mmCIF file of all heavy atoms in Angstrom:
data_model
loop_
_atom_site.group_PDB
_atom_site.id
_atom_site.type_symbol
_atom_site.label_atom_id
_atom_site.label_comp_id
_atom_site.label_asym_id
_atom_site.label_seq_id
_atom_site.Cartn_x
_atom_site.Cartn_y
_atom_site.Cartn_z
ATOM 1 N N GLN A 42 -48.238 -86.192 190.926
ATOM 2 C CA GLN A 42 -48.027 -87.518 191.634
ATOM 3 C C GLN A 42 -48.247 -87.459 193.112
ATOM 4 O O GLN A 42 -48.924 -88.196 193.674
ATOM 5 C CB GLN A 42 -46.490 -87.885 191.341
ATOM 6 C CG GLN A 42 -46.154 -89.235 191.857
ATOM 7 C CD GLN A 42 -44.747 -89.600 191.684
ATOM 8 O OE1 GLN A 42 -44.023 -88.863 190.877
ATOM 9 N NE2 GLN A 42 -44.245 -90.800 192.060
ATOM 10 N N THR A 43 -47.663 -86.351 193.702
ATOM 11 C CA THR A 43 -47.778 -86.215 195.141
ATOM 12 C C THR A 43 -49.136 -85.721 195.613
ATOM 13 O O THR A 43 -49.653 -85.964 196.756
ATOM 14 C CB THR A 43 -46.686 -85.196 195.694
ATOM 15 O OG1 THR A 43 -47.059 -83.840 195.203
ATOM 16 C CG2 THR A 43 -45.388 -85.687 195.435
ATOM 17 N N GLY A 44 -49.939 -85.139 194.620
ATOM 18 C CA GLY A 44 -51.297 -84.752 195.076
ATOM 19 C C GLY A 44 -52.286 -85.828 195.145
ATOM 20 O O GLY A 44 -53.339 -85.804 195.706
ATOM 21 N N ARG A 45 -52.079 -86.927 194.336
ATOM 22 C CA ARG A 45 -52.929 -88.007 194.215
ATOM 23 C C ARG A 45 -53.646 -88.450 195.577
ATOM 24 O O ARG A 45 -54.757 -88.524 195.735
ATOM 25 C CB ARG A 45 -52.360 -89.132 193.433
ATOM 26 C CG ARG A 45 -53.317 -90.415 193.312
ATOM 27 C CD ARG A 45 -52.586 -91.633 192.729
ATOM 28 N NE ARG A 45 -52.338 -91.512 191.321
ATOM 29 C CZ ARG A 45 -53.156 -92.010 190.363
ATOM 30 N NH1 ARG A 45 -54.228 -92.486 190.571
ATOM 31 N NH2 ARG A 45 -52.768 -91.738 189.117
ATOM 32 N N PRO A 46 -52.780 -88.804 196.521
ATOM 33 C CA PRO A 46 -53.318 -89.324 197.795
ATOM 34 C C PRO A 46 -54.110 -88.239 198.649
ATOM 35 O O PRO A 46 -54.760 -88.711 199.632
ATOM 36 C CB PRO A 46 -51.984 -89.831 198.619
ATOM 37 C CG PRO A 46 -50.938 -89.069 198.018
ATOM 38 C CD PRO A 46 -51.263 -88.875 196.641
ATOM 39 N N TRP A 47 -53.992 -86.982 198.233
ATOM 40 C CA TRP A 47 -54.766 -85.983 199.017
ATOM 41 C C TRP A 47 -56.224 -85.926 198.486
ATOM 42 O O TRP A 47 -57.072 -85.252 199.069
ATOM 43 C CB TRP A 47 -54.096 -84.627 198.803
ATOM 44 C CG TRP A 47 -52.871 -84.416 199.564
ATOM 45 C CD1 TRP A 47 -51.563 -84.783 199.131
ATOM 46 C CD2 TRP A 47 -52.707 -83.842 200.858
ATOM 47 N NE1 TRP A 47 -50.655 -84.451 200.098
ATOM 48 C CE2 TRP A 47 -51.239 -83.962 201.106
ATOM 49 C CE3 TRP A 47 -53.563 -83.306 201.661
ATOM 50 C CZ2 TRP A 47 -50.770 -83.496 202.432
ATOM 51 C CZ3 TRP A 47 -53.093 -82.908 202.978
ATOM 52 C CH2 TRP A 47 -51.670 -82.930 203.231
ATOM 53 N N TRP A 48 -56.424 -86.764 197.367
ATOM 54 C CA TRP A 48 -57.780 -86.703 196.916
ATOM 55 C C TRP A 48 -58.408 -88.078 196.597
ATOM 56 O O TRP A 48 -59.581 -88.338 196.840
ATOM 57 C CB TRP A 48 -57.888 -85.828 195.548
ATOM 58 C CG TRP A 48 -59.289 -85.444 195.230
ATOM 59 C CD1 TRP A 48 -60.131 -85.953 194.321
ATOM 60 C CD2 TRP A 48 -60.136 -84.399 195.836
ATOM 61 N NE1 TRP A 48 -61.385 -85.421 194.343
ATOM 62 C CE2 TRP A 48 -61.324 -84.479 195.269
ATOM 63 C CE3 TRP A 48 -59.741 -83.462 196.887
ATOM 64 C CZ2 TRP A 48 -62.409 -83.618 195.657
ATOM 65 C CZ3 TRP A 48 -60.814 -82.624 197.366
ATOM 66 C CH2 TRP A 48 -62.045 -82.784 196.716
ATOM 67 N N MET A 49 -57.561 -89.034 196.103
ATOM 68 C CA MET A 49 -57.951 -90.379 195.785
ATOM 69 C C MET A 49 -58.021 -91.194 196.960
ATOM 70 O O MET A 49 -57.048 -91.598 197.413
ATOM 71 C CB MET A 49 -57.134 -90.875 194.637
ATOM 72 C CG MET A 49 -57.018 -89.938 193.274
ATOM 73 S SD MET A 49 -58.690 -89.690 192.590
ATOM 74 C CE MET A 49 -58.949 -91.151 191.586
ATOM 75 N N GLU A 50 -59.246 -91.414 197.525
ATOM 76 C CA GLU A 50 -59.268 -92.102 198.795
ATOM 77 C C GLU A 50 -59.097 -93.562 198.760
ATOM 78 O O GLU A 50 -59.494 -94.230 197.715
ATOM 79 C CB GLU A 50 -60.686 -91.786 199.464
ATOM 80 C CG GLU A 50 -60.926 -90.348 199.867
ATOM 81 C CD GLU A 50 -60.248 -90.145 201.312
ATOM 82 O OE1 GLU A 50 -60.384 -90.895 202.125
ATOM 83 O OE2 GLU A 50 -59.706 -88.975 201.428
ATOM 84 N N GLN A 51 -58.589 -94.111 199.879
ATOM 85 C CA GLN A 51 -58.512 -95.495 200.004
ATOM 86 C C GLN A 51 -59.680 -95.968 200.940
ATOM 87 O O GLN A 51 -60.147 -95.152 201.781
ATOM 88 C CB GLN A 51 -57.296 -95.915 200.603
ATOM 89 C CG GLN A 51 -55.915 -95.592 199.837
ATOM 90 C CD GLN A 51 -55.981 -96.349 198.543
ATOM 91 O OE1 GLN A 51 -56.272 -97.493 198.579
ATOM 92 N NE2 GLN A 51 -55.623 -95.643 197.481
ATOM 93 N N PRO A 52 -60.288 -97.055 200.766
ATOM 94 C CA PRO A 52 -61.357 -97.653 201.655
ATOM 95 C C PRO A 52 -60.951 -97.453 203.108
ATOM 96 O O PRO A 52 -59.732 -97.738 203.443
ATOM 97 C CB PRO A 52 -61.623 -99.075 201.305
ATOM 98 C CG PRO A 52 -61.141 -99.242 199.721
ATOM 99 C CD PRO A 52 -59.910 -98.149 199.778
ATOM 100 N N PRO A 53 -61.837 -97.070 204.095
ATOM 101 C CA PRO A 53 -63.307 -96.894 203.800
ATOM 102 C C PRO A 53 -63.630 -95.609 203.153
ATOM 103 O O PRO A 53 -64.768 -95.331 202.953
ATOM 104 C CB PRO A 53 -63.850 -96.987 205.279
ATOM 105 C CG PRO A 53 -62.757 -96.425 205.998
ATOM 106 C CD PRO A 53 -61.582 -96.915 205.447
ATOM 107 N N GLY A 54 -62.699 -94.799 202.794
ATOM 108 C CA GLY A 54 -62.951 -93.526 202.100
ATOM 109 C C GLY A 54 -63.388 -93.806 200.660
ATOM 110 O O GLY A 54 -63.183 -94.861 200.125
ATOM 111 N N ARG A 55 -64.095 -92.836 199.994
ATOM 112 C CA ARG A 55 -64.601 -92.969 198.715
ATOM 113 C C ARG A 55 -64.208 -91.712 197.935
ATOM 114 O O ARG A 55 -64.416 -90.620 198.441
ATOM 115 C CB ARG A 55 -66.089 -93.245 198.725
ATOM 116 C CG ARG A 55 -66.566 -94.541 199.375
ATOM 117 C CD ARG A 55 -66.367 -95.738 198.374
ATOM 118 N NE ARG A 55 -66.872 -96.951 199.165
ATOM 119 C CZ ARG A 55 -66.118 -97.765 199.882
ATOM 120 N NH1 ARG A 55 -64.852 -97.472 200.045
ATOM 121 N NH2 ARG A 55 -66.659 -98.797 200.398
#
Side-chain angles (χ1 to χ4, degrees):
Chain A
Q42 186 179 359
T43 61
R45 178 189 287 268
W47 289 86
W48 196 260
M49 302 300 280
E50 290 280 319
Q51 299 296 317
R55 297 278 183 272

